[in-house]
């Protein structure tokens, strides 16, 4: 298929319109000629993606950082809704990346959560990097790499995210830390730790974290 034909098919207009736009020196035609070959456009029309862009390599740490920045200001409920949206669209993340706002608007949740998700989405500069390439990586590894990344940097995110991930993706309602470690409810145990100033005895976060990882 010739270039003018694939462009007319992509733009959903006539071949005559292609030549008119080209003669008028419209920016979109110049952009297509500069960055997309005939084969690129054909591939997109057939598959909905372009492999040479999909295969751009980013370091995992770069992806983790971008994702962390995106969700950093989310409440538990906002994160839960976002993860449910990811699960709903995980089979077509390319479309999810392009149509994020539409997906949020039609999703059943509180309006203030929709507003927050759209606001944070609008701040992302490279949306394909985060919402397509990034989410593909994160879903594939069940966010384990991300959890280790934030834990190594002592960022207080893993428990918060694991709990909502298990809820959204696996339908698991996670037990509270006191349910795993009932001694935390024991006033005698707590008072003894306070008297001896042995507050490490009260810190079960690492053990709790490991228990939740086993549920992934």
């Amino acid at each position: 298929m010739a270039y003018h034909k694939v462009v007319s098919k992509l733009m959903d207009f006539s071949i005559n319109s292609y030549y008119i736009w080209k003669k008028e020196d419209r920016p979109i035609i110049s952009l297509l000629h500069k960055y997309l070959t005939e084969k690129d456009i054909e591939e997109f029309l057939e598959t909905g993606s372009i492999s040479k862009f999909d295969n751009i390599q980013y370091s995992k740490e770069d992806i983790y950082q971008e994702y962390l920045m995106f969700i950093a200001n989310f409440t538990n409920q906002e994160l839960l809704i976002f993860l449910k949206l990811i699960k709903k669209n995980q089979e077509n993340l390319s479309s999810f990346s392009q149509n994020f706002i539409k997906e949020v608007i039609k999703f059943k949740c509180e309006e203030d959560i929709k507003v927050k998700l759209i606001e944070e989405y609008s701040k992302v500069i490279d949306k394909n990097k985060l919402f397509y390439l990034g989410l593909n990586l994160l879903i594939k590894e069940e966010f384990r790499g991300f959890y280790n990344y934030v834990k190594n940097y002592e960022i207080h995110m893993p428990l918060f995210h694991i709990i909502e991930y298990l809820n959204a993706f696996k339908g698991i309602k996670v037990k509270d830390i006191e349910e795993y470690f009932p001694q935390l409810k024991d006033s005698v145990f707590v008072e003894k730790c306070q008297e001896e100033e042995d507050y490490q005895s009260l810190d079960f976060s690492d053990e709790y974290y490991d228990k939740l990882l086993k549920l992934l």
Side-chain angles (χ1 to χ4, degrees):
M1 191 182 299
Y3 198 87
H4 63 281
K5 291 183 179 179
V6 293
V7 172
S8 66
K9 191 171 182 180
L10 175 71
M11 301 294 290
D12 194 25
F13 58 27
S14 68
I15 293 175
N16 188 48
S17 295
Y18 164 80
Y19 284 110
I20 292 173
W21 282 30
K22 186 178 180 182
K23 186 176 181 180
E24 292 174 348
D25 198 23
R26 297 208 185 189
I28 185 62
I29 301 298
S30 299
L31 183 147
L32 291 172
H33 275 274
K34 185 173 182 178
Y35 292 106
L36 297 178
T37 67
E38 179 184 328
K39 288 184 178 180
D40 291 334
I41 298 174
E42 286 180 339
E43 182 183 3
F44 180 79
L45 290 171
E46 290 174 5
T47 69
S49 64
I50 302 174
S51 57
K52 75 177 185 182
F53 295 127
D54 293 346
N55 294 329
I56 294 173
Q57 295 299 309
Y58 297 100
S59 70
K60 287 187 176 183
E61 288 73 17
D62 193 24
I63 293 294
Y64 299 151
Q65 185 178 21
E66 290 267 346
Y67 182 72
L68 176 62
M69 290 174 63
F70 176 72
I71 65 171
N73 296 318
F74 284 171
T75 64
N76 288 57
Q77 190 61 23
E78 288 163 352
L79 176 62
L80 176 61
I81 296 301
F82 177 60
L83 290 170
K84 285 184 175 181
L85 278 163
I86 295 175
K87 183 185 179 187
K88 178 176 178 286
N89 294 278
Q90 62 184 321
E91 299 302 323
N92 193 356
L93 290 173
S94 178
S95 176
F96 182 57
S97 174
Q98 297 172 23
N99 301 297
F100 181 83
I101 294 176
K102 289 182 181 178
E103 290 296 326
V104 171
I105 290 173
K106 69 182 184 182
F107 196 79
K108 291 184 179 180
C109 67
E110 291 79 2
E111 289 301 315
D112 58 331
I113 293 178
K114 293 181 181 181
V115 170
K116 182 66 171 292
L117 292 176
I118 292 171
E119 284 180 349
E120 295 304 315
Y121 173 79
S122 67
K123 297 176 186 176
V124 177
I125 297 173
D126 190 342
K127 294 175 174 59
N128 184 61
K129 173 184 175 182
L130 178 58
F131 291 93
Y132 178 59
L133 301 177
L135 290 180
N136 264 311
L137 167 67
L138 292 164
I139 292 171
K140 184 176 180 180
E141 61 182 25
E142 294 188 304
F143 290 85
R144 290 175 185 272
F146 172 71
Y147 297 143
N148 289 326
Y149 168 79
V150 293
K151 193 167 185 286
N152 289 339
Y153 283 88
E154 298 183 351
I155 300 169
H156 301 292
M157 177 66 69
L159 293 176
F160 163 54
H161 196 286
I162 293 173
I163 289 170
E164 301 307 342
Y165 170 80
L166 289 169
N167 186 348
F169 274 75
K170 304 200 174 183
I172 297 175
K173 294 289 185 179
V174 176
K175 292 181 181 178
D176 191 71
I177 189 169
E178 285 85 0
E179 293 182 75
Y180 280 111
F181 307 105
Q183 57 266 53
L184 287 173
K185 296 181 180 180
D186 185 349
S187 59
V188 175
F189 170 76
V190 174
E191 288 174 9
K192 183 179 179 182
C193 291
Q194 291 172 341
E195 287 173 6
E196 297 176 0
E197 295 188 350
D198 183 14
Y199 295 103
Q200 287 187 340
S201 298
L202 291 170
D203 186 7
F204 289 88
S205 59
D206 284 343
E207 292 175 76
Y208 185 51
Y209 174 76
D210 290 338
K211 284 181 179 291
L212 297 187
L213 279 181
K214 291 176 182 177
L215 299 175
L216 294 177

